[in-house]
Amino acid sequence: MQKLTYSFCKWEEQTPDQVFLRQPFGDRWEEYTWAETGQMARKLATGLLSLGLPPRSHIGLISKNCREWVIADLAITMANFVSVPLYPTLKADSVAELIELGDIQAMFVGKIEDWDSMKAGIPDDLPLIRFPHYEGNGRIERGEEWHSFIDRHEPWQGVPEFDPQDTWTIIFTSGTTGTPKGVVLSYGNLDSTKVVVEQRNIVNLSTEGDNVFFSFLPMNHIAERVLVEQGALHYGGTMSFAESLDSFVQNLQDVQPTFFFAVPRIWTKFQLGVLAKMPAEKLDRLLKIPLLNSLVKKRIRKGLGMGRVRGTITGAASIPEELKNWYRKIGIPMVEGYGMTENCALTSSLPPKDIRPGSVGIALPTVDMKIDPANGEIMMKAPFVMQGYYKDPEKTAEVLEDGWLRTGDQGSIDEEGYLYITGRVKDAFKTAKGKFLVPGPIEQLFETSLDIEQLCLVGLGCPQPLLLIVPSEIGLAKSQEALKDSLAETLTQANAQLPNYQKVSTVVVVREGWDVGNDMLTPTLKVKRNQVHHRYGPFLMGWHEQGEKVIWE
């Protein structure tokens, strides 16, 4: 069987003096070349081997995005170990659970905001290597210090080679429900993802190293790992990071990436930020003036950090068609991608010029898709489908059938091969009238409102569904009466398009926004429906019985 070689070494040899990693510290950026990155990773690999762990041991990696994350990942690969990256927002009990589930035998710890709430979950006898301290984050005093550990060792020599079936990484799903599952991905899985760029390069990545990446979504999220980190390692270029949430916008403006991936909530926040400074009516008026059109669009793009972007992707959740149209209007057409951890984030894509409302595109190269006639579930097959769930043959058997992956999503495929997602198989709930509702299509009718930033359809056991919403900055800027009138109008327009049993009885403006910190969002910013039902379930019937179109919690 032909061995696979590691792409990083190509750029390390061919472009040693070109900048690869860029880390911000206030207004200052520190840069590592490909050669400097390689030297640190090679010394770190020797250090890992000095721990005396068995071959193919599992090495944990928990930190916010930074240059050390990439260097540690490279070292794990060079030392022929298996990386097990974890979300940096986890609390002690979750970390302890995943260390046990993932058989983690050593761990890198780094940029952690709340180290105090995490550290008790890491066993005292687990070997730790800590990244250099970043201001504004928790101070970690356990384990080996990054630089002193690296400087004690000579660089590992050679070019790593792997059998395609060797495990590359184990990524635990963020999961909106249930115990996290460890998705086992092989080097063969990873290598097969390159076909997307080599056969259908709709995001305009350069294969000559002329790329500028900006990494901010969690590095252990499959899309960020494959599209950004591995995209940089495969195709070359520079990879920059955000220093903090407060500096995010400035960092992005400084970098002006050529490729940018974000989830819909980020794209929504960018849009709302623009419209808060320039109302939609004024923007539309300026864009209709020929002499100003290109100037206004150029200024907005640069202000968003998209002044030289060649390819943008949205994924991980559905995105309103109106939002995509808005970005298209200002000269940022985006690719919509559909995938999941279990298939390296790759199933289908919709090119930016292909306007198919509601579709997530056609199958990517080497992908086969079909719909299970029994329950409408989307199934797919490709070389980048996982090996299975780590040490969980029962759950693996539930989703893998003769090489076909059950996605958990419901949908349809039209005659031209375009895929449409209608909802999650497990998201459907039954009302008091015995009718099953799929939230996704109903929620999409409300996503056109600029007054709404977050929403979730609920109503298990109620006569009619209710919609819980978190207002946007635009919505919050209105008086309560004006916001109520606007939401009531949106409700009326949406209900006019729905059969009686799907009509929303009440829009509830919740008191507190939903985020990762209050456990209402996954680390990839998707709403945890089970948490929403758990938190608000006791109040739903009372809100419904008030008989008002719009109420405040």
Side-chain angles (χ1 to χ4, degrees), residues 313-534:
I313 295 185
T314 180
S318 65
I319 185 168
E321 194 66 28
E322 289 76 9
L323 184 59
K324 288 168 61 179
N325 289 338
W326 185 85
Y327 276 99
R328 194 178 289 117
K329 182 170 63 177
I330 63 168
I332 306 178
M334 61 180 68
V335 173
E336 184 166 4
Y338 167 58
M340 60 209 66
T341 311
E342 288 84 347
N343 60 18
C344 291
L346 303 172
T347 302
S348 66
S349 68
L350 186 69
K353 294 181 180 178
D354 203 345
I355 302 173
R356 305 261 178 162
S359 174
V360 290
I362 57 176
L364 288 164
T366 70
V367 171
D368 291 321
M369 300 187 305
K370 67 179 182 180
I371 304 296
D372 184 345
N375 63 354
E377 185 172 9
I378 300 165
M379 301 176 70
M380 61 82 65
K381 180 189 287 187
F384 26 82
V385 168
M386 69 172 180
Q387 306 302 295
Y389 294 124
Y390 184 64
K391 293 172 66 173
D392 200 336
E394 290 185 5
K395 283 193 171 62
T396 299
E398 289 176 8
V399 300
L400 289 181
E401 295 181 4
D402 298 323
W404 289 91
L405 172 67
R406 288 190 168 276
T407 64
D409 292 311
Q410 290 176 315
S412 63
I413 303 172
D414 70 14
E415 294 178 354
E416 297 179 81
Y418 285 83
L419 177 64
Y420 296 79
I421 300 172
T422 55
R424 292 286 294 171
V425 174
K426 294 182 179 179
D427 280 351
F429 62 86
K430 187 184 287 188
T431 66
K433 297 177 180 178
K435 297 284 190 178
F436 274 103
L437 296 183
V438 178
I442 301 174
E443 291 173 343
Q444 289 173 9
L445 298 176
F446 291 86
E447 289 174 344
T448 58
S449 171
L450 294 175
D451 293 327
I452 299 174
E453 181 168 332
Q454 298 169 297
L455 50 75
C456 185
L457 191 81
V458 293
L460 178 65
C462 294
Q464 295 292 139
L466 298 85
L467 187 77
L468 307 183
I469 73 113
V470 175
S472 66
E473 290 184 20
I474 291 175
L476 290 171
K478 295 180 177 181
S479 68
Q480 183 166 317
E481 195 60 34
L483 179 58
K484 182 176 182 179
D485 290 343
S486 173
L487 292 173
E489 183 179 350
T490 300
L491 175 65
T492 299
Q493 292 174 354
N495 279 343
Q497 303 174 61
L498 295 169
N500 287 334
Y501 75 96
Q502 292 183 1
K503 293 185 187 297
V504 176
S505 72
T506 313
V507 173
V508 181
V509 182
V510 300
R511 186 179 299 117
E512 181 184 15
W514 302 329
D515 54 40
V516 176
N518 59 25
D519 202 32
M520 302 301 281
L521 299 183
T522 70
T524 53
L525 308 182
K526 287 183 286 217
V527 174
K528 289 186 174 182
R529 292 186 183 275
N530 61 325
Q531 286 294 97
V532 172
H533 279 283
H534 176 74

Side-chain angles (χ1 to χ4, degrees), residues 44-88:
L44 192 56
T46 304
L48 286 176
L49 291 168
S50 74
L51 298 177
L53 300 173
R56 311 299 297 151
S57 289
H58 297 178
I59 311 297
L61 179 49
I62 188 163
S63 170
K64 289 192 289 186
N65 301 17
C66 59
R67 59 192 177 186
E68 288 82 12
W69 204 108
V70 177
I71 295 169
D73 195 24
L74 288 169
I76 293 169
T77 299
M78 290 175 176
N80 199 26
F81 293 135
V82 176
S83 60
V84 186
L86 306 177
Y87 282 107

Side-chain angles (χ1 to χ4, degrees), residues 22 55 63-64 84 137 139 183 238 288 308 323 486 539 548:
R22 302 181 69 247
S63 170
K64 289 192 289 186
V84 186
N137 293 276
R139 188 170 291 278
V183 175
T238 62
K288 290 176 182 177
R308 58 177 177 177
L323 184 59
S486 173
F539 312 106
E548 297 285 336

